[in-house]
Amino acid sequence: MSKVYRGADALVRTLAQAGVRRVFTLSGNHIMSVFDACLDQGISLVHTRHEAAAVHMADAWARLTGEVGVAMVTGGPGHANAVAALYTAQMSESPVVLLSGQAPEAERGLGAFQEMRQADMAAPVTKASWSSAGAAAIAGDACAAIGLALGGRPGPVHLSLPSDALEGACETSRHAAAPPSVAVRAPLLAADSAAKVVDWLADAKRPLILCGPASLTPRGRRTVAALEEHTGVPVVGMESPRGISDPSLGAFPEVLAQADRILLLGKRLDFTLKFGRAPAIAARCGFVQIDPDDDEIHRSRRVLGERLALAVRADTAGAIKQLCAQPTRSAADDWRNEVHAALRARGPAQASATAGVLHPWEACTPLQEILDSDPRSVLVCDGGEFGQWAQACLHAPNRLINGPAGAIGGALPMAVAARLAVPDAPVIALMGDGTAGFHIAEFDTALRYKLPFVAIVGNDARWNAEYQIQLKTYGKHRTIGCELLPSRYDHVCAAFGGYGELVETGDQVAAATRRALACGRAACINVALEGAPAPAMPRRPLV
Ligand SMILES: Cc1ncc(C[n+]2csc(CCOP(=O)(O)OP(=O)(O)O)c2C)c(N)n1
Ligand SMILES: [Mg+2]
């Protein structure tokens, strides 16, 4: 075996120097040199059953650890499969780098095997997307990709790697670039701007600080909690595709409509906030925005006009620190209590009227005790109606949801990566039956790598979220194309070698989940479910 130092070696060395410990991947012709190079650099590969699953895993890893999450796939169709999952990472502001092998540069334009305009394809769902120019460029490109993903508003970056660049020789000393020690950040918020913002908030009667997904990582949640403590202004994190109707925010719309001043702190003014329009937000409510992106600020200016009192381009995490460094001014405790009561508000307990099936409330609530049993528990919730119930009923210090992208299917692979990121705590992932089918083969990945977690599949034998839309919009005689079979997803998991149980009564949920956790293998609890609509916003906050 020759010991030529290749582009692939430069890539892997650069990743290792940047602190990357594992790469989520699926093999393919164009990237086998990188697999080979990983043997020498101590980077572990987690190889999956679908390229989109590899990206979802990198996304979950990034959100839970705060590190960059790296996915690597082969060129052409492997790349195309991966791109779909980048949208979830993009909307969740998750620092992911997708490395895709590519047809060799020497064959470009000749109709090469799996030749495709890969960088163009990934561009709309990434912060930056390009193809490496050759072996000598790879280390620098990898550094740049990581720095870009982590900096500013975090998000996915794509780098295509022609196979002849990966396999081509490059010089060790010249081309192993220094590791990216710091991300490419937006400017720091100046102290006088921070003082102005704090004063502006203190002069409000009913102020709110709204944060976006990047501030809702485990570390982010701790810093925004400190910001609320310091300023006395309620801070609300928003990361749901259902926006202000996020079921985990209870009666939030009631207090949002009363706010007189809102600080958008890295929070986009988009559909999740009804574009700032009344009645969701009062027409006279003023705004200040601190955001790492000029584009976001321009958009807010266009939409809000004079209601935007001040807008500053600045790094979000740095701005939180700077705001916390300002002297506090007295804040209205009544308002803060009112906001908290609204956020806590939930509808009443629910039960299914049909024997042998559970209402989603009965399927979810028994799990809280298990999540509470460990301070590092991980809760993963997908979308769909069952996902909304899970988000309304359950909370945990480590929480991953599908995010503003609103794409379903990521929860199962995310749970696998969550187990790697948080090795010794319970990982519980809740998803609908339709959703479970997207990446069900990732039970195999979990079993191969001995990564136990419990998937709770709410099985109502339909794509219920869409069925509910049909009921409301077209009536009960015009439902079509949303029915599924009451399939035994627990048996599917068992067939891969995992643990499975069927649950048909509420009192079995906690016991079955405990048995699943105790068995130490990936597990699926298939819950026979009544297809209820997502929880409606409770009308009056319960204090
Ligand atoms: C990738 C993707 N495809 C389709 C949709 C549309 N969609 C949203 S929820 C949903 C139904 C989900 O069904 P299931 O997982 O069974 O959950 P349920 O709503 O039945 O509880 C569908 C099809 C989507 N959001 N994302
Ligand atoms: Mg369903």
Side-chain angles (χ1 to χ4, degrees):
M1 276 289 176
S2 71
K3 268 289 166 197
V4 175
Y5 190 79
R6 304 156 294 183
D9 299 302
L11 171 70
V12 173
R13 181 176 290 190
T14 305
L15 295 177
Q17 285 175 343
V20 174
R21 289 176 272 163
R22 47 178 50 98
V23 170
F24 301 94
T25 188
L26 201 158
S27 54
N29 296 17
H30 299 118
I31 53 171
M32 298 326 289
S33 58
V34 189
F35 274 41
D36 179 69
C38 281
L39 283 171
D40 302 325
Q41 291 291 339
I43 288 194
S44 30
L45 298 178
V46 177
H47 72 95
T48 65
R49 300 295 299 269
H50 192 285
E51 288 85 357
V55 173
H56 286 310
M57 289 183 196
D59 179 359
W61 175 270
R63 289 198 233 171
L64 286 172
T65 62
E67 299 170 10
V68 67
V70 180
M72 180 173 62
V73 302
T74 198
H79 174 73
N81 276 350
V83 165
L86 288 176
Y87 183 59
T88 292
Q90 182 188 42
M91 296 300 284
S92 293
E93 305 177 351
S94 177
V96 165
V97 169
L98 172 65
L99 303 169
S100 303
Q102 193 176 29
E105 190 55 25
E107 295 175 7
R108 185 149 67 100
L110 298 178
F113 174 59
Q114 297 182 339
E115 185 178 356
M116 188 188 273
R117 280 169 30 221
Q118 296 184 181
D120 288 351
M121 191 176 199
V125 285
T126 51
K127 292 175 74 174
S129 179
W130 74 99
S131 187
S132 219
I138 286 179
D141 284 339
C143 272
I146 293 170
L148 278 168
L150 289 166
R153 167 173 274 103
V157 172
H158 167 65
L159 177 60
S160 269
L161 300 158
S163 58
D164 49 359
L166 288 171
E167 288 154 19
C170 72
E171 281 173 41
T172 322
S173 50
R174 275 186 43 215
H175 301 304
S181 50
V182 278
V184 190
R185 295 216 181 277
L188 285 177
L189 181 69
D192 60 333
S193 300
K196 252 192 234 166
V197 174
V198 168
D199 286 348
W200 181 83
L201 285 170
D203 289 340
K205 286 199 181 67
R206 293 176 303 279
L208 285 175
I209 299 176
L210 304 183
C211 290
S215 301
L216 298 175
T217 58
R219 187 203 271 177
R221 282 177 197 277
R222 289 193 292 275
T223 52
V224 298
L227 177 66
E228 172 164 330
E229 259 336 289
H230 186 79
T231 58
V233 177
V235 180
V236 181
M238 297 185 69
E239 61 172 341
S240 165
R242 304 218 178 183
I244 63 172
S245 306
D246 178 345
S248 74
L249 297 181
F252 175 53
E254 292 191 357
V255 285
L256 179 67
Q258 296 172 48
D260 60 350
R261 288 189 172 183
I262 292 176
L263 167 61
L264 298 169
L265 186 48
K267 170 75 192 88
R268 289 179 164 131
L269 184 72
D270 59 6
F271 75 99
T272 62
L273 279 172
K274 310 267 187 201
F275 313 104
R277 294 177 188 148
I281 297 180
R284 295 199 357 224
C285 177
F287 285 83
V288 162
Q289 184 166 32
I290 300 173
D291 199 279
D293 285 341
D294 274 333
D295 286 355
E296 293 299 328
I297 290 175
H298 290 149
R299 195 169 63 184
S300 302
R301 267 214 188 97
R302 212 171 60 230
V303 171
L304 295 172
E306 294 193 343
R307 290 167 76 198
L308 187 61
L310 175 70
V312 192
R313 180 173 170 254
D315 176 69
T316 307
I320 294 175
K321 266 198 209 137
Q322 188 64 276
L323 292 170
C324 284
Q326 301 306 307
T328 45
R329 300 240 330 242
S330 63
D333 269 354
D334 290 354
W335 167 244
R336 197 173 154 201
N337 292 339
E338 200 181 327
V339 172
H340 279 270
L343 295 176
R344 278 197 308 271
R346 295 291 183 274
Q350 309 252 8
S352 163
T354 316
V357 293
L358 284 71
H359 186 278
W361 192 93
E362 295 173 282
C364 296
T365 46
L367 299 168
Q368 188 59 52
E369 211 180 300
I370 298 174
L371 291 167
D372 287 343
S373 68
D374 192 305
R376 294 155 310 149
S377 291
V378 187
L379 169 67
V380 187
C381 299
D382 217 299
E385 300 305 78
F386 183 60
Q388 307 315 306
W389 281 100
Q391 291 169 51
C393 294
L394 299 170
H395 57 88
N398 292 309
R399 176 185 187 264
L400 293 172
I401 68 164
N402 60 342
I408 54 172
L412 227 154
M414 283 187 176
V416 178
R419 157 58 62 227
L420 280 166
V422 187
D424 300 315
V427 175
I428 300 184
L430 295 99
M431 68 206 79
D433 52 326
T435 296
F438 276 53
H439 288 300
I440 195 119
E442 296 312 324
F443 278 124
D444 167 74
T445 306
L447 286 153
R448 277 185 287 113
Y449 286 96
K450 300 192 174 29
L451 299 170
F453 71 97
V454 183
I456 310 281
V457 176
N459 193 339
D460 55 12
R462 64 182 178 227
W463 303 99
N464 190 35
E466 308 310 317
Y467 174 81
Q468 293 298 332
I469 290 175
Q470 293 179 337
L471 281 186
K472 254 190 255 151
T473 318
Y474 308 106
K476 66 177 178 196
H477 299 299
R478 299 196 63 81
T479 59
I480 180 172
C482 289
E483 56 294 321
L484 295 168
L485 296 173
S487 305
R488 291 294 299 269
Y489 298 99
D490 52 325
H491 284 177
V492 178
C493 179
F496 278 116
Y499 181 84
E501 273 200 53
L502 173 67
V503 161
E504 293 170 306
T505 61
D507 59 356
Q508 297 171 341
V509 174
T513 306
R514 286 209 165 87
R515 281 192 290 276
L517 285 167
C519 87
R521 280 177 290 148
C524 175
I525 308 294
N526 187 14
V527 182
L529 200 74
E530 176 183 305
M537 197 253 298
R539 269 221 283 284
R540 268 209 267 122
L542 315 167
V543 183

